Amino acid sequence: MSTSGGVTRNTLRQQIADALRDEVLAGRLPPGREFTVKQIAEQYGVSATPVREALFDLSAQGLLASDQHRGFQVREFTVADYRAMAEARALVVEGLFRNPAERVAVRPEALASIRRRAAEAVRAAKGGDLDVLIGYDLRFWRELGQFVLNPYIADFLTKLRVQAWVFAVHRLRRDGMDEDVLWFGHEELVEAIARGDHEQVHAAMHSYYAHALAWADRLEAGEAGRNAPDAPESPGHCA
């Protein structure tokens, strides 16, 4: 990546942040991976300033941890972190739809695009295409978030979803994906929102939350087994 007259520093900063976020979400930058501003600047062929700004942006989003002496590191989220993310999302969405007239404004013209995102996310999940799934899932939730009248809540929900995928991606690549792990409720959720059926919105989010907690339970059990003294070594498994 090289600069040109038409590329501002802010544009470059965003391009670098987007590229690194994609690397993390694809699992190519695994949790715990350390790097410096200099290394990233050399990799992309740019100056240190936009790289430093991009890395601080990703740190603010919770994807990187920074250390004054060691540089930056991809965040390592625990199962407890994942539980907390799922709970926070479920509670916030449930709260939004307790009095949706004041907090949510559904734009009918946006629903066609969201329905496509939902269908593609479910198709990718059932087909086991993790990269496509992550992309469509994030777009789905980001576009749904545009219905939320409070932009801080919308940003918070998007941030949580990205962090949840950072937690999940390397585990899914390690253990594989199946319907016991992945949630397929995108289409049901968007249709409930389109109808204004708040009970079904709550039901869809409860399904999402229960699915996430069930996977967290299995991950904890698997990690406890692998870490137990004299436990036989076996590959990770999501039953």
mmCIF file of all heavy atoms in Angstrom, residues 76-121:
data_model
loop_
_atom_site.group_PDB
_atom_site.id
_atom_site.type_symbol
_atom_site.label_atom_id
_atom_site.label_comp_id
_atom_site.label_asym_id
_atom_site.label_seq_id
_atom_site.Cartn_x
_atom_site.Cartn_y
_atom_site.Cartn_z
ATOM 1 N N GLU A 76 -6.665 -11.261 23.441
ATOM 2 C CA GLU A 76 -7.072 -12.635 23.708
ATOM 3 C C GLU A 76 -8.317 -12.600 24.592
ATOM 4 O O GLU A 76 -8.233 -12.299 25.781
ATOM 5 C CB GLU A 76 -5.946 -13.412 24.402
ATOM 6 C CG GLU A 76 -4.708 -13.592 23.540
ATOM 7 C CD GLU A 76 -3.705 -14.565 24.157
ATOM 8 O OE1 GLU A 76 -4.023 -15.759 24.227
ATOM 9 O OE2 GLU A 76 -2.637 -14.107 24.574
ATOM 10 N N PHE A 77 -9.460 -12.882 24.000
ATOM 11 C CA PHE A 77 -10.708 -12.898 24.753
ATOM 12 C C PHE A 77 -10.940 -14.287 25.338
ATOM 13 O O PHE A 77 -10.726 -15.295 24.675
ATOM 14 C CB PHE A 77 -11.887 -12.520 23.857
ATOM 15 C CG PHE A 77 -11.858 -11.088 23.394
ATOM 16 C CD1 PHE A 77 -11.535 -10.779 22.082
ATOM 17 C CD2 PHE A 77 -12.158 -10.063 24.269
ATOM 18 C CE1 PHE A 77 -11.510 -9.465 21.653
ATOM 19 C CE2 PHE A 77 -12.140 -8.743 23.848
ATOM 20 C CZ PHE A 77 -11.814 -8.434 22.534
ATOM 21 N N THR A 78 -11.389 -14.322 26.574
ATOM 22 C CA THR A 78 -11.667 -15.586 27.252
ATOM 23 C C THR A 78 -13.124 -15.990 27.051
ATOM 24 O O THR A 78 -13.947 -15.207 26.554
ATOM 25 C CB THR A 78 -11.396 -15.457 28.755
ATOM 26 O OG1 THR A 78 -12.347 -14.526 29.309
ATOM 27 C CG2 THR A 78 -9.974 -14.949 29.018
ATOM 28 N N VAL A 79 -13.443 -17.204 27.466
ATOM 29 C CA VAL A 79 -14.834 -17.650 27.418
ATOM 30 C C VAL A 79 -15.698 -16.747 28.299
ATOM 31 O O VAL A 79 -16.841 -16.421 27.947
ATOM 32 C CB VAL A 79 -14.953 -19.124 27.850
ATOM 33 C CG1 VAL A 79 -16.416 -19.547 27.921
ATOM 34 C CG2 VAL A 79 -14.190 -20.031 26.889
ATOM 35 N N ALA A 80 -15.152 -16.328 29.433
ATOM 36 C CA ALA A 80 -15.907 -15.409 30.306
ATOM 37 C C ALA A 80 -16.185 -14.090 29.596
ATOM 38 O O ALA A 80 -17.276 -13.518 29.735
ATOM 39 C CB ALA A 80 -15.128 -15.165 31.598
ATOM 40 N N ASP A 81 -15.214 -13.600 28.825
ATOM 41 C CA ASP A 81 -15.430 -12.390 28.030
ATOM 42 C C ASP A 81 -16.573 -12.601 27.039
ATOM 43 O O ASP A 81 -17.445 -11.744 26.872
ATOM 44 C CB ASP A 81 -14.166 -12.012 27.256
ATOM 45 C CG ASP A 81 -13.033 -11.543 28.141
ATOM 46 O OD1 ASP A 81 -13.302 -10.928 29.186
ATOM 47 O OD2 ASP A 81 -11.865 -11.789 27.770
ATOM 48 N N TYR A 82 -16.552 -13.756 26.375
ATOM 49 C CA TYR A 82 -17.579 -14.049 25.374
ATOM 50 C C TYR A 82 -18.964 -14.112 26.014
ATOM 51 O O TYR A 82 -19.942 -13.601 25.466
ATOM 52 C CB TYR A 82 -17.242 -15.362 24.673
ATOM 53 C CG TYR A 82 -18.245 -15.770 23.624
ATOM 54 C CD1 TYR A 82 -18.368 -15.056 22.436
ATOM 55 C CD2 TYR A 82 -19.063 -16.878 23.823
ATOM 56 C CE1 TYR A 82 -19.291 -15.433 21.477
ATOM 57 C CE2 TYR A 82 -19.987 -17.258 22.863
ATOM 58 C CZ TYR A 82 -20.096 -16.539 21.695
ATOM 59 O OH TYR A 82 -21.017 -16.908 20.751
ATOM 60 N N ARG A 83 -19.052 -14.729 27.181
ATOM 61 C CA ARG A 83 -20.330 -14.772 27.894
ATOM 62 C C ARG A 83 -20.830 -13.350 28.163
ATOM 63 O O ARG A 83 -22.013 -13.036 27.977
ATOM 64 C CB ARG A 83 -20.170 -15.496 29.229
ATOM 65 C CG ARG A 83 -20.065 -16.993 29.168
ATOM 66 C CD ARG A 83 -19.960 -17.540 30.590
ATOM 67 N NE ARG A 83 -19.787 -18.962 30.597
ATOM 68 C CZ ARG A 83 -20.768 -19.845 30.466
ATOM 69 N NH1 ARG A 83 -22.010 -19.405 30.300
ATOM 70 N NH2 ARG A 83 -20.522 -21.129 30.493
ATOM 71 N N ALA A 84 -19.927 -12.509 28.622
ATOM 72 C CA ALA A 84 -20.310 -11.142 28.951
ATOM 73 C C ALA A 84 -20.749 -10.377 27.699
ATOM 74 O O ALA A 84 -21.697 -9.579 27.755
ATOM 75 C CB ALA A 84 -19.142 -10.423 29.625
ATOM 76 N N MET A 85 -20.085 -10.612 26.572
ATOM 77 C CA MET A 85 -20.479 -9.965 25.315
ATOM 78 C C MET A 85 -21.905 -10.367 24.930
ATOM 79 O O MET A 85 -22.734 -9.526 24.576
ATOM 80 C CB MET A 85 -19.526 -10.368 24.189
ATOM 81 C CG MET A 85 -18.113 -9.877 24.300
ATOM 82 S SD MET A 85 -17.120 -10.641 22.968
ATOM 83 C CE MET A 85 -15.466 -10.467 23.626
ATOM 84 N N ALA A 86 -22.173 -11.671 24.967
ATOM 85 C CA ALA A 86 -23.495 -12.168 24.581
ATOM 86 C C ALA A 86 -24.568 -11.618 25.512
ATOM 87 O O ALA A 86 -25.646 -11.201 25.054
ATOM 88 C CB ALA A 86 -23.506 -13.694 24.604
ATOM 89 N N GLU A 87 -24.281 -11.586 26.798
ATOM 90 C CA GLU A 87 -25.256 -11.068 27.754
ATOM 91 C C GLU A 87 -25.517 -9.592 27.514
ATOM 92 O O GLU A 87 -26.678 -9.136 27.519
ATOM 93 C CB GLU A 87 -24.758 -11.282 29.185
ATOM 94 C CG GLU A 87 -25.713 -10.751 30.234
ATOM 95 C CD GLU A 87 -25.177 -10.898 31.647
ATOM 96 O OE1 GLU A 87 -23.954 -11.054 31.815
ATOM 97 O OE2 GLU A 87 -26.007 -10.844 32.585
ATOM 98 N N ALA A 88 -24.449 -8.820 27.276
ATOM 99 C CA ALA A 88 -24.609 -7.381 27.050
ATOM 100 C C ALA A 88 -25.454 -7.110 25.817
ATOM 101 O O ALA A 88 -26.356 -6.265 25.837
ATOM 102 C CB ALA A 88 -23.234 -6.721 26.920
ATOM 103 N N ARG A 89 -25.176 -7.837 24.725
ATOM 104 C CA ARG A 89 -25.953 -7.637 23.500
ATOM 105 C C ARG A 89 -27.422 -7.964 23.735
ATOM 106 O O ARG A 89 -28.312 -7.226 23.316
ATOM 107 C CB ARG A 89 -25.397 -8.512 22.375
ATOM 108 C CG ARG A 89 -24.116 -7.998 21.765
ATOM 109 C CD ARG A 89 -23.626 -8.943 20.689
ATOM 110 N NE ARG A 89 -24.639 -9.147 19.668
ATOM 111 C CZ ARG A 89 -24.866 -8.319 18.650
ATOM 112 N NH1 ARG A 89 -24.140 -7.227 18.529
ATOM 113 N NH2 ARG A 89 -25.798 -8.570 17.756
ATOM 114 N N ALA A 90 -27.683 -9.090 24.378
ATOM 115 C CA ALA A 90 -29.067 -9.505 24.605
ATOM 116 C C ALA A 90 -29.810 -8.493 25.480
ATOM 117 O O ALA A 90 -30.958 -8.135 25.195
ATOM 118 C CB ALA A 90 -29.093 -10.891 25.244
ATOM 119 N N LEU A 91 -29.162 -8.019 26.527
ATOM 120 C CA LEU A 91 -29.808 -7.068 27.424
ATOM 121 C C LEU A 91 -30.081 -5.733 26.741
ATOM 122 O O LEU A 91 -31.143 -5.134 26.930
ATOM 123 C CB LEU A 91 -28.942 -6.858 28.673
ATOM 124 C CG LEU A 91 -28.871 -8.023 29.652
ATOM 125 C CD1 LEU A 91 -27.865 -7.742 30.744
ATOM 126 C CD2 LEU A 91 -30.245 -8.304 30.251
ATOM 127 N N VAL A 92 -29.117 -5.269 25.940
ATOM 128 C CA VAL A 92 -29.291 -3.977 25.268
ATOM 129 C C VAL A 92 -30.419 -4.058 24.240
ATOM 130 O O VAL A 92 -31.283 -3.184 24.171
ATOM 131 C CB VAL A 92 -27.974 -3.522 24.609
ATOM 132 C CG1 VAL A 92 -28.214 -2.326 23.700
ATOM 133 C CG2 VAL A 92 -26.945 -3.158 25.672
ATOM 134 N N VAL A 93 -30.422 -5.119 23.422
ATOM 135 C CA VAL A 93 -31.472 -5.247 22.408
ATOM 136 C C VAL A 93 -32.833 -5.414 23.065
ATOM 137 O O VAL A 93 -33.835 -4.823 22.630
ATOM 138 C CB VAL A 93 -31.164 -6.414 21.454
ATOM 139 C CG1 VAL A 93 -32.331 -6.656 20.504
ATOM 140 C CG2 VAL A 93 -29.897 -6.132 20.658
ATOM 141 N N GLU A 94 -32.879 -6.197 24.136
ATOM 142 C CA GLU A 94 -34.151 -6.360 24.852
ATOM 143 C C GLU A 94 -34.635 -5.021 25.370
ATOM 144 O O GLU A 94 -35.824 -4.681 25.275
ATOM 145 C CB GLU A 94 -33.970 -7.347 26.008
ATOM 146 C CG GLU A 94 -35.248 -7.608 26.793
ATOM 147 C CD GLU A 94 -35.037 -8.625 27.910
ATOM 148 O OE1 GLU A 94 -34.053 -9.381 27.849
ATOM 149 O OE2 GLU A 94 -35.871 -8.632 28.823
ATOM 150 N N GLY A 95 -33.708 -4.214 25.906
ATOM 151 C CA GLY A 95 -34.076 -2.896 26.407
ATOM 152 C C GLY A 95 -34.570 -1.972 25.310
ATOM 153 O O GLY A 95 -35.522 -1.206 25.507
ATOM 154 N N LEU A 96 -33.967 -2.050 24.147
ATOM 155 C CA LEU A 96 -34.388 -1.210 23.024
ATOM 156 C C LEU A 96 -35.844 -1.463 22.653
ATOM 157 O O LEU A 96 -36.579 -0.538 22.300
ATOM 158 C CB LEU A 96 -33.502 -1.466 21.810
ATOM 159 C CG LEU A 96 -32.071 -0.926 21.855
ATOM 160 C CD1 LEU A 96 -31.270 -1.443 20.671
ATOM 161 C CD2 LEU A 96 -32.078 0.601 21.853
ATOM 162 N N PHE A 97 -36.262 -2.729 22.723
ATOM 163 C CA PHE A 97 -37.596 -3.081 22.260
ATOM 164 C C PHE A 97 -38.632 -3.103 23.382
ATOM 165 O O PHE A 97 -39.771 -3.495 23.166
ATOM 166 C CB PHE A 97 -37.565 -4.411 21.520
ATOM 167 C CG PHE A 97 -37.033 -4.265 20.122
ATOM 168 C CD1 PHE A 97 -35.687 -4.389 19.858
ATOM 169 C CD2 PHE A 97 -37.897 -3.952 19.072
ATOM 170 C CE1 PHE A 97 -35.191 -4.219 18.583
ATOM 171 C CE2 PHE A 97 -37.410 -3.781 17.793
ATOM 172 C CZ PHE A 97 -36.053 -3.917 17.538
ATOM 173 N N ARG A 98 -38.246 -2.649 24.572
ATOM 174 C CA ARG A 98 -39.259 -2.465 25.612
ATOM 175 C C ARG A 98 -40.141 -1.259 25.291
ATOM 176 O O ARG A 98 -41.325 -1.243 25.592
ATOM 177 C CB ARG A 98 -38.585 -2.277 26.975
ATOM 178 C CG ARG A 98 -38.071 -3.575 27.576
ATOM 179 C CD ARG A 98 -37.370 -3.330 28.881
ATOM 180 N NE ARG A 98 -36.779 -4.559 29.403
ATOM 181 C CZ ARG A 98 -35.779 -4.583 30.260
ATOM 182 N NH1 ARG A 98 -35.249 -3.443 30.696
ATOM 183 N NH2 ARG A 98 -35.289 -5.728 30.686
ATOM 184 N N ASN A 99 -39.523 -0.250 24.713
ATOM 185 C CA ASN A 99 -40.275 0.928 24.293
ATOM 186 C C ASN A 99 -39.725 1.371 22.946
ATOM 187 O O ASN A 99 -39.071 2.407 22.834
ATOM 188 C CB ASN A 99 -40.142 2.048 25.325
ATOM 189 C CG ASN A 99 -41.126 3.172 25.079
ATOM 190 O OD1 ASN A 99 -41.838 3.161 24.077
ATOM 191 N ND2 ASN A 99 -41.163 4.136 25.974
ATOM 192 N N PRO A 100 -39.945 0.573 21.896
ATOM 193 C CA PRO A 100 -39.275 0.810 20.619
ATOM 194 C C PRO A 100 -39.652 2.118 19.953
ATOM 195 O O PRO A 100 -38.868 2.661 19.169
ATOM 196 C CB PRO A 100 -39.710 -0.396 19.775
ATOM 197 C CG PRO A 100 -40.984 -0.861 20.402
ATOM 198 C CD PRO A 100 -40.821 -0.603 21.860
ATOM 199 N N ALA A 101 -40.834 2.651 20.223
ATOM 200 C CA ALA A 101 -41.236 3.895 19.568
ATOM 201 C C ALA A 101 -40.269 5.027 19.875
ATOM 202 O O ALA A 101 -40.090 5.942 19.068
ATOM 203 C CB ALA A 101 -42.657 4.275 20.002
ATOM 204 N N GLU A 102 -39.631 4.970 21.039
ATOM 205 C CA GLU A 102 -38.697 6.023 21.434
ATOM 206 C C GLU A 102 -37.252 5.689 21.097
ATOM 207 O O GLU A 102 -36.397 6.582 21.130
ATOM 208 C CB GLU A 102 -38.805 6.269 22.942
ATOM 209 C CG GLU A 102 -40.166 6.785 23.387
ATOM 210 C CD GLU A 102 -40.230 7.015 24.881
ATOM 211 O OE1 GLU A 102 -39.193 6.797 25.553
ATOM 212 O OE2 GLU A 102 -41.298 7.394 25.380
ATOM 213 N N ARG A 103 -36.968 4.425 20.786
ATOM 214 C CA ARG A 103 -35.571 4.011 20.650
ATOM 215 C C ARG A 103 -35.220 3.435 19.286
ATOM 216 O O ARG A 103 -34.039 3.340 18.943
ATOM 217 C CB ARG A 103 -35.234 2.986 21.728
ATOM 218 C CG ARG A 103 -35.436 3.509 23.149
ATOM 219 C CD ARG A 103 -34.950 2.511 24.174
ATOM 220 N NE ARG A 103 -35.091 3.031 25.527
ATOM 221 C CZ ARG A 103 -36.080 2.703 26.351
ATOM 222 N NH1 ARG A 103 -37.006 1.854 25.962
ATOM 223 N NH2 ARG A 103 -36.143 3.224 27.566
ATOM 224 N N VAL A 104 -36.214 3.006 18.527
ATOM 225 C CA VAL A 104 -35.971 2.319 17.256
ATOM 226 C C VAL A 104 -36.861 2.919 16.169
ATOM 227 O O VAL A 104 -38.055 3.132 16.395
ATOM 228 C CB VAL A 104 -36.243 0.806 17.370
ATOM 229 C CG1 VAL A 104 -36.019 0.119 16.037
ATOM 230 C CG2 VAL A 104 -35.375 0.179 18.457
ATOM 231 N N ALA A 105 -36.269 3.187 15.014
ATOM 232 C CA ALA A 105 -37.037 3.679 13.871
ATOM 233 C C ALA A 105 -36.709 2.808 12.664
ATOM 234 O O ALA A 105 -35.637 2.931 12.066
ATOM 235 C CB ALA A 105 -36.701 5.145 13.585
ATOM 236 N N VAL A 106 -37.612 1.884 12.352
ATOM 237 C CA VAL A 106 -37.388 0.964 11.230
ATOM 238 C C VAL A 106 -37.615 1.721 9.922
ATOM 239 O O VAL A 106 -38.643 2.395 9.742
ATOM 240 C CB VAL A 106 -38.347 -0.239 11.318
ATOM 241 C CG1 VAL A 106 -38.190 -1.133 10.087
ATOM 242 C CG2 VAL A 106 -38.079 -1.024 12.590
ATOM 243 N N ARG A 107 -36.653 1.634 9.017
ATOM 244 C CA ARG A 107 -36.774 2.270 7.706
ATOM 245 C C ARG A 107 -37.114 1.187 6.683
ATOM 246 O O ARG A 107 -36.253 0.380 6.334
ATOM 247 C CB ARG A 107 -35.475 2.983 7.341
ATOM 248 C CG ARG A 107 -35.181 4.184 8.241
ATOM 249 C CD ARG A 107 -33.918 4.923 7.832
ATOM 250 N NE ARG A 107 -32.726 4.133 8.069
ATOM 251 C CZ ARG A 107 -32.017 3.536 7.127
ATOM 252 N NH1 ARG A 107 -32.381 3.600 5.861
ATOM 253 N NH2 ARG A 107 -30.928 2.851 7.437
ATOM 254 N N PRO A 108 -38.348 1.144 6.195
ATOM 255 C CA PRO A 108 -38.754 0.068 5.279
ATOM 256 C C PRO A 108 -37.866 -0.060 4.056
ATOM 257 O O PRO A 108 -37.644 -1.177 3.571
ATOM 258 C CB PRO A 108 -40.189 0.475 4.893
ATOM 259 C CG PRO A 108 -40.674 1.310 6.042
ATOM 260 C CD PRO A 108 -39.467 2.060 6.522
ATOM 261 N N GLU A 109 -37.329 1.057 3.557
ATOM 262 C CA GLU A 109 -36.495 0.992 2.354
ATOM 263 C C GLU A 109 -35.180 0.262 2.592
ATOM 264 O O GLU A 109 -34.516 -0.159 1.643
ATOM 265 C CB GLU A 109 -36.221 2.406 1.826
ATOM 266 C CG GLU A 109 -35.295 3.256 2.689
ATOM 267 C CD GLU A 109 -35.993 3.971 3.836
ATOM 268 O OE1 GLU A 109 -37.193 3.673 4.081
ATOM 269 O OE2 GLU A 109 -35.345 4.815 4.488
ATOM 270 N N ALA A 110 -34.785 0.110 3.847
ATOM 271 C CA ALA A 110 -33.527 -0.577 4.169
ATOM 272 C C ALA A 110 -33.712 -2.076 4.377
ATOM 273 O O ALA A 110 -32.724 -2.820 4.432
ATOM 274 C CB ALA A 110 -32.895 0.036 5.420
ATOM 275 N N LEU A 111 -34.955 -2.525 4.493
ATOM 276 C CA LEU A 111 -35.197 -3.917 4.855
ATOM 277 C C LEU A 111 -34.768 -4.898 3.771
ATOM 278 O O LEU A 111 -34.315 -6.005 4.078
ATOM 279 C CB LEU A 111 -36.676 -4.125 5.183
ATOM 280 C CG LEU A 111 -37.144 -3.515 6.511
ATOM 281 C CD1 LEU A 111 -38.659 -3.613 6.632
ATOM 282 C CD2 LEU A 111 -36.465 -4.213 7.688
ATOM 283 N N ALA A 112 -34.901 -4.522 2.498
ATOM 284 C CA ALA A 112 -34.526 -5.442 1.423
ATOM 285 C C ALA A 112 -33.045 -5.797 1.517
ATOM 286 O O ALA A 112 -32.670 -6.968 1.377
ATOM 287 C CB ALA A 112 -34.839 -4.826 0.067
ATOM 288 N N SER A 113 -32.202 -4.805 1.760
ATOM 289 C CA SER A 113 -30.768 -5.058 1.886
ATOM 290 C C SER A 113 -30.478 -5.934 3.101
ATOM 291 O O SER A 113 -29.671 -6.872 3.033
ATOM 292 C CB SER A 113 -30.014 -3.739 2.004
ATOM 293 O OG SER A 113 -28.644 -3.961 2.274
ATOM 294 N N ILE A 114 -31.150 -5.658 4.223
ATOM 295 C CA ILE A 114 -30.914 -6.432 5.443
ATOM 296 C C ILE A 114 -31.374 -7.871 5.260
ATOM 297 O O ILE A 114 -30.717 -8.813 5.738
ATOM 298 C CB ILE A 114 -31.615 -5.764 6.638
ATOM 299 C CG1 ILE A 114 -30.996 -4.386 6.893
ATOM 300 C CG2 ILE A 114 -31.507 -6.627 7.883
ATOM 301 C CD1 ILE A 114 -31.709 -3.580 7.953
ATOM 302 N N ARG A 115 -32.480 -8.055 4.553
ATOM 303 C CA ARG A 115 -32.933 -9.421 4.278
ATOM 304 C C ARG A 115 -31.895 -10.186 3.454
ATOM 305 O O ARG A 115 -31.673 -11.377 3.678
ATOM 306 C CB ARG A 115 -34.281 -9.390 3.551
ATOM 307 C CG ARG A 115 -35.467 -9.016 4.434
ATOM 308 C CD ARG A 115 -36.768 -9.144 3.669
ATOM 309 N NE ARG A 115 -37.925 -8.947 4.540
ATOM 310 C CZ ARG A 115 -38.686 -7.847 4.533
ATOM 311 N NH1 ARG A 115 -38.398 -6.851 3.700
ATOM 312 N NH2 ARG A 115 -39.708 -7.755 5.355
ATOM 313 N N ARG A 116 -31.283 -9.509 2.487
ATOM 314 C CA ARG A 116 -30.237 -10.176 1.690
ATOM 315 C C ARG A 116 -29.051 -10.547 2.568
ATOM 316 O O ARG A 116 -28.488 -11.639 2.429
ATOM 317 C CB ARG A 116 -29.788 -9.264 0.549
ATOM 318 C CG ARG A 116 -30.790 -9.137 -0.592
ATOM 319 C CD ARG A 116 -30.142 -8.545 -1.829
ATOM 320 N NE ARG A 116 -29.634 -7.197 -1.598
ATOM 321 C CZ ARG A 116 -30.360 -6.094 -1.753
ATOM 322 N NH1 ARG A 116 -31.630 -6.172 -2.143
ATOM 323 N NH2 ARG A 116 -29.831 -4.903 -1.541
ATOM 324 N N ARG A 117 -28.647 -9.638 3.440
ATOM 325 C CA ARG A 117 -27.537 -9.944 4.359
ATOM 326 C C ARG A 117 -27.889 -11.162 5.218
ATOM 327 O O ARG A 117 -27.059 -12.048 5.443
ATOM 328 C CB ARG A 117 -27.242 -8.767 5.283
ATOM 329 C CG ARG A 117 -27.035 -7.428 4.637
ATOM 330 C CD ARG A 117 -25.847 -7.359 3.740
ATOM 331 N NE ARG A 117 -25.590 -5.990 3.346
ATOM 332 C CZ ARG A 117 -24.913 -5.642 2.262
ATOM 333 N NH1 ARG A 117 -24.439 -6.575 1.452
ATOM 334 N NH2 ARG A 117 -24.703 -4.373 1.975
ATOM 335 N N ALA A 118 -29.124 -11.184 5.722
ATOM 336 C CA ALA A 118 -29.549 -12.288 6.577
ATOM 337 C C ALA A 118 -29.504 -13.604 5.821
ATOM 338 O O ALA A 118 -28.976 -14.617 6.321
ATOM 339 C CB ALA A 118 -30.965 -12.024 7.106
ATOM 340 N N ALA A 119 -30.056 -13.619 4.597
ATOM 341 C CA ALA A 119 -30.093 -14.855 3.818
ATOM 342 C C ALA A 119 -28.692 -15.337 3.483
ATOM 343 O O ALA A 119 -28.399 -16.545 3.558
ATOM 344 C CB ALA A 119 -30.897 -14.629 2.531
ATOM 345 N N GLU A 120 -27.800 -14.409 3.124
ATOM 346 C CA GLU A 120 -26.433 -14.794 2.786
ATOM 347 C C GLU A 120 -25.678 -15.290 4.012
ATOM 348 O O GLU A 120 -24.871 -16.227 3.924
ATOM 349 C CB GLU A 120 -25.688 -13.617 2.148
ATOM 350 C CG GLU A 120 -26.202 -13.214 0.776
ATOM 351 C CD GLU A 120 -25.959 -14.291 -0.271
ATOM 352 O OE1 GLU A 120 -25.135 -15.205 -0.034
ATOM 353 O OE2 GLU A 120 -26.608 -14.233 -1.329
ATOM 354 N N ALA A 121 -25.924 -14.677 5.164
ATOM 355 C CA ALA A 121 -25.265 -15.133 6.395
ATOM 356 C C ALA A 121 -25.691 -16.553 6.734
ATOM 357 O O ALA A 121 -24.851 -17.409 7.070
ATOM 358 C CB ALA A 121 -25.589 -14.177 7.540
#
